[in-house]
């Protein structure tokens, strides 16, 4: 029994710590949240990718983002997002307003966001053609 | 001999704490963790599988560390896990400018280099635990009944 003592203490501390930090994270959000590109009619034009209405935080299925031809996901800094009345994370419409700037990816006429030229973006991942 | 048992028990408990905390944090924020893996270089193709596989492996390691009879296996599994994370992190930090993180607790306040040092510390600690455990087994074999 003595040899289980430290293990039991470790289990208690781990469980208590997770309970504490998960309740804490409700009031202190993560530094960024992912938004996923929902291509309207399969379009990946500059205007469509730069349109924030085409980026959502709660897609039905989370896409696998790899490659560098088309827009897929962006991590938006929490200063630029908020929860709407339904509890869905959306872009802020006042105060810190995110701005997505797009450029042509590795394929012609297909666009991807540029983190450095955009406002409020922490990172991004694209998808193949 | 008693000292060696105490050392391995304490190291096992520390690694158990780390593994269980990491696994529960990931499972409680499963959607966020999976989304982060989807944005992570190299791992994104296997995000759906890894989002379950990593926390389940961490829980199995914690269970192995809990029981004295499987503690060595737990330390070996823990060493493999922590060193894999450390190598992945180091390569990604050197090769990628932007690396997504879904870290919880004190880790979320760390920079990437600090995170790597944190992982290296636990890799060394787990490795030391294995060495002390094996030394203890050697001593037991040599000691006449």
């Amino acid at each position: 029994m003595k040899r289980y003592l430290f293990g039991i203490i470790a289990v208690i501390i781990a469980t208590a710590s997770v309970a504490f930090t998960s309740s804490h994270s409700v009031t202190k959000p993560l530094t960024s949240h992912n938004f996923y590109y929902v291509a309207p009619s399969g379009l990946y034009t500059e205007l469509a990718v730069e349109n924030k209405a085409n980026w959502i935080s709660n897609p039905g299925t989370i896409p696998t983002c790899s490659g560098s031809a088309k827009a897929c996901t962006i991590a938006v800094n929490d200063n630029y997002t908020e929860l709407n009345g339904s509890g869905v994370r959306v872009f802020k419409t006042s105060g810190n307003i995110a701005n997505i700037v797009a450029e042509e990816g590795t394929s012609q006429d297909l666009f991807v966001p540029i983190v450095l030229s955009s406002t409020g973006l922490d990172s991004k991942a694209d998808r193949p053609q | 001999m008693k000292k060696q048992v105490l050392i391995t028990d304490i190291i096992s408990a520390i690694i158990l704490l780390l593994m269980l905390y990491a696994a529960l944090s990931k499972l409680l924020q499963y959607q966020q963790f999976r989304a982060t893996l989807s944005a992570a270089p190299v791992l994104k193709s296997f995000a759906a599988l890894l989002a379950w596989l990593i926390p389940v492996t961490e829980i199995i390691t914690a269970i192995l560390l809990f029981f004295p009879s499987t503690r060595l296996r737990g330390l070996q599994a823990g060493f493999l896990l922590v060193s894999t994370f450390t190598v992945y992190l180091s390569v990604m930090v050197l090769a990628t400018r932007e690396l997504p993180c879904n870290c919880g607790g004190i880790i979320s306040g760390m920079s990437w280099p600090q995170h790597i040092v944190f992982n290296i510390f636990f890799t060394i600690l787990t490795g030391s635990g294995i060495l002390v455990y094996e030394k203890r087994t050697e001593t037991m074999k040599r000691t006449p009944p």
Side-chain angles (χ1 to χ4, degrees):
Chain A
M1 189 63 199
K2 200 175 149 191
R3 298 212 52 209
Y4 290 93
L5 181 67
F6 294 117
I8 292 168
I9 294 170
V11 170
I12 293 168
I13 295 174
T15 314
S17 306
V18 169
F20 172 75
T21 50
S22 57
S23 65
H24 189 62
S25 67
V26 174
T27 51
K28 188 185 174 208
L30 295 161
T31 44
S32 63
H33 279 89
N34 286 359
F35 282 69
Y36 301 90
Y37 184 69
V38 182
S41 315
L43 283 177
Y44 287 84
T45 61
E46 187 172 12
L47 270 179
V49 172
E50 290 182 348
N51 185 353
K52 284 183 283 182
N54 295 330
W55 292 88
I56 60 167
S57 63
N58 58 340
T61 52
I62 294 172
T64 302
C65 301
S66 64
S68 49
K70 301 192 292 193
C72 186
T73 182
I74 49 175
V76 183
N77 191 286
D78 270 344
N79 294 324
Y80 295 83
T81 68
E82 62 190 356
L83 291 174
N84 68 8
S86 312
V88 176
R89 191 153 287 273
V90 293
F91 289 100
K92 274 186 183 173
T93 50
S94 61
N96 292 324
I97 298 180
N99 181 42
I100 303 167
V101 177
E103 66 178 357
E104 216 168 48
T106 50
S107 297
Q108 206 176 6
D109 298 331
L110 298 175
F111 283 76
V112 296
I114 325 168
V115 174
L116 283 178
S117 311
S118 303
T119 307
L121 269 58
D122 284 343
S123 64
K124 63 136 186 184
D126 304 320
R127 70 176 95 200
Q129 193 176 358
Chain B
M1 179 72 178
K2 271 190 177 177
K3 198 176 167 188
Q4 286 171 339
V5 173
L6 186 68
I7 290 170
T8 49
D9 285 359
I10 291 173
I11 292 176
S12 299
I14 293 169
I15 307 301
L16 191 162
L17 171 63
L18 178 76
M19 290 291 153
L20 196 60
Y21 177 78
L24 293 178
S25 301
K26 288 178 183 95
L27 291 174
L28 282 173
Q29 295 181 326
Y30 173 74
Q31 287 301 333
Q32 181 68 30
F33 177 55
R34 189 174 157 175
T36 307
L37 284 177
S38 299
V42 184
L43 302 182
K44 53 192 167 190
S45 313
F46 317 100
L49 174 71
L50 287 173
W52 278 109
L53 192 64
I54 293 173
V56 166
T57 311
E58 286 169 340
I59 287 175
I60 292 170
T61 306
I63 293 169
L64 290 173
L65 286 164
F66 185 79
F67 297 101
S69 57
T70 55
R71 217 156 261 173
L72 179 62
R73 290 272 174 257
L75 284 169
Q76 289 165 338
F79 181 79
L80 196 67
L81 268 178
V82 184
S83 50
T84 306
F85 292 153
T86 309
V87 170
Y88 171 77
L89 256 185
S90 307
V91 172
M92 287 304 120
V93 167
L94 289 173
T96 316
R97 192 170 50 85
E98 290 153 351
L99 191 61
C101 179
N102 178 39
C103 318
I106 54 164
I107 300 171
S108 61
M110 291 181 187
S111 66
W112 284 118
Q114 284 169 335
H115 198 151
I116 292 171
V117 172
F118 178 86
N119 278 21
I120 289 172
F121 168 76
F122 279 100
T123 309
I124 293 169
L125 186 72
T126 318
S128 310
I130 294 169
L131 290 177
V132 175
Y133 197 103
E134 282 172 348
K135 200 177 166 188
R136 192 185 96 197
T137 314
E138 281 288 307
T139 316
M140 275 172 72
K141 278 179 190 168
R142 280 188 208 148
T143 310

